[in-house]
Amino acid sequence: MADRIRKINVQTSEVHLVVKTGDQLPSGAALWGMTVSANGTIYAADMAENVVYKIYEDGRVNGAVVGKLNTPGDVVSSGLYGSGGNSARLRAVNGIAVDSSDNIYVADSTNHKVKRLSPSGRCQTLAGTGLPGDSCNDNGLLAELNLPYGVAVDAAGIVYVCDGGNHKVKKIWPNGKVTLMAGATGGGFANGNGALAKFSSPSGLCVSKSRKIFVADEGNYRVRQIDENGNVITLAGFSQGNVDAVGNLARFSQIYDICVDNSGVIWVLDWGNHSIRKVLDNGKVSTFMPWKDTIGLGASCIAADNSGFLYILERNV
């Protein structure tokens, strides 16, 4: 059994293995989050070893760029990779994003924080006190999160996070302020603006070039869209199932992750249906390809680069 990262050519559907655990990566790794930078470098979050890896296109691994193998904790640091950068500590890290300047953002889940690692190796907390809670604040270090999961960052440096335990999407501004983007306490389902909207265990999110936020609303079997003003609509999905259609006629099952490519196409990892689904901005859903291994498992994370390739993170196959 091993975790694998595979690369898919969207035009030809050709699939290539990039790396797997037990080779370049530790055999005990449990990869959970993944993102791809503008130059094709992959960053993968290892929930078991509590580190983040840097993986090149040819499968070479640049060790643990954040954290120390099998050493959970909650420590920020300042310094270069291999010194201060590796003295940082994470706990159950999962969601991960990278910006155009190669700053890495991670959902440090059971520390209830979002952290950032700069290219120079400085690791700092952007939001979260370290204790589970639900509050916004002008000072991100005083804001409270509860099991943050997916993270994304836009061209302006604004970070978006699925605050999974609170069923909300929050926004971390470059000045450190944390605000509610959308979602109501207790969760549920509702379209609307800001706190009038409801999500159920949102697991993944991404941001398009036009700054629309797309959310994998796992508990509601829907793909949701949030505009810059916090207005939430349902782009596709209604109840659990497997149907290619438009809008609320489409059906998903266990949407684990979501990404958007440069052309604005939304890619959904429908784990429950063992498939990669394609969603257009008009809500039209189609099945791009099945994704199921010989023992019936699927993938947990999906990402897109700037060159027309998708990346899939397989768990325990």
Side-chain angles (χ1 to χ4, degrees):
M1 303 288 281
D3 293 356
R4 292 174 170 85
I5 295 175
R6 299 188 191 270
K7 183 176 181 179
I8 306 170
N9 186 319
V10 173
Q11 299 301 318
T12 66
S13 297
E14 290 180 295
V15 180
H16 300 281
L17 175 68
V18 177
V19 69
K20 69 176 182 177
T21 55
D23 290 344
Q24 295 275 351
L25 296 172
S27 58
L31 305 181
W32 207 261
M34 176 183 62
T35 191
V36 184
S37 72
N39 65 6
T41 301
I42 302 165
Y43 295 92
D46 184 345
M47 185 179 285
E49 299 284 358
N50 299 288
V51 299
V52 172
Y53 306 107
K54 184 177 184 178
I55 304 168
Y56 298 100
E57 288 184 276
D58 60 6
R60 290 178 298 120
V61 178
N62 190 27
V65 296
V66 192
K68 183 178 180 180
L69 289 172
N70 198 28
T71 310
D74 182 13
V75 179
V76 296
S77 65
S78 180
L80 298 174
Y81 294 142
S83 55
N86 279 358
S87 69
R89 297 291 179 265
L90 308 169
R91 184 178 283 114
V93 60
N94 46 53
I96 184 168
V98 61
D99 66 19
S100 58
S101 300
D102 287 330
N103 294 293
I104 304 166
Y105 303 83
V106 295
D108 195 5
S109 186
T110 54
N111 281 326
H112 310 287
K113 294 182 176 182
V114 172
K115 291 178 179 174
R116 177 174 64 198
L117 186 80
S118 72
S120 66
R122 183 187 182 199
C123 181
Q124 64 185 128
T125 297
L126 294 185
T129 64
L131 297 174
D134 183 13
S135 66
C136 296
N137 199 287
D138 287 349
N139 181 345
L141 302 183
L142 300 179
E144 295 173 317
L145 304 171
N146 186 4
L147 298 175
Y149 203 88
V151 292
V153 58
D154 68 17
I158 299 172
V159 179
Y160 307 88
V161 56
C162 282
D163 192 3
N166 291 318
H167 308 285
K168 296 178 178 181
V169 175
K170 290 178 179 174
K171 199 170 180 177
I172 307 171
W173 298 83
N175 64 4
K177 182 177 182 178
V178 176
T179 59
L180 174 70
M181 190 166 196
T185 300
F189 171 75
N191 291 319
N193 179 263
L196 298 178
K198 294 182 180 180
F199 300 91
S200 179
S201 300
S203 56
L205 80 172
C206 57
V207 55
S208 70
K209 290 191 293 185
S210 61
R211 297 177 73 177
K212 290 180 180 177
I213 308 301
F214 301 103
V215 181
D217 191 2
E218 183 181 351
N220 285 317
Y221 312 106
R222 290 169 166 93
V223 174
R224 313 288 291 281
Q225 176 184 296
I226 314 174
D227 70 14
E228 290 186 75
N229 297 315
N231 295 307
V232 179
I233 63 171
T234 297
L235 190 61
F238 184 78
S239 59
Q240 190 172 21
N242 187 9
V243 179
D244 288 338
V246 178
N248 62 10
L249 297 178
R251 298 289 184 270
F252 300 96
S253 177
Q254 288 181 276
I255 305 174
Y256 268 15
D257 200 18
I258 190 169
C259 67
V260 60
D261 65 21
N262 276 343
S263 66
V265 174
I266 304 152
W267 301 93
V268 176
L269 191 56
D270 191 351
W271 189 90
N273 287 319
H274 303 290
S275 60
I276 300 170
R277 313 287 292 277
K278 181 179 179 180
V279 185
L280 303 182
D281 57 9
N282 63 358
K284 182 180 179 181
V285 178
S286 59
T287 298
F288 171 64
M289 64 188 301
W291 198 269
K292 185 176 181 179
D293 63 81
T294 55
I295 57 174
L297 296 176
S300 63
C301 188
I302 189 168
D305 67 13
N306 292 336
S307 303
F309 291 91
L310 291 176
Y311 296 77
I312 296 292
L313 173 54
E314 296 178 322
R315 293 279 297 118
N316 294 319
V317 298

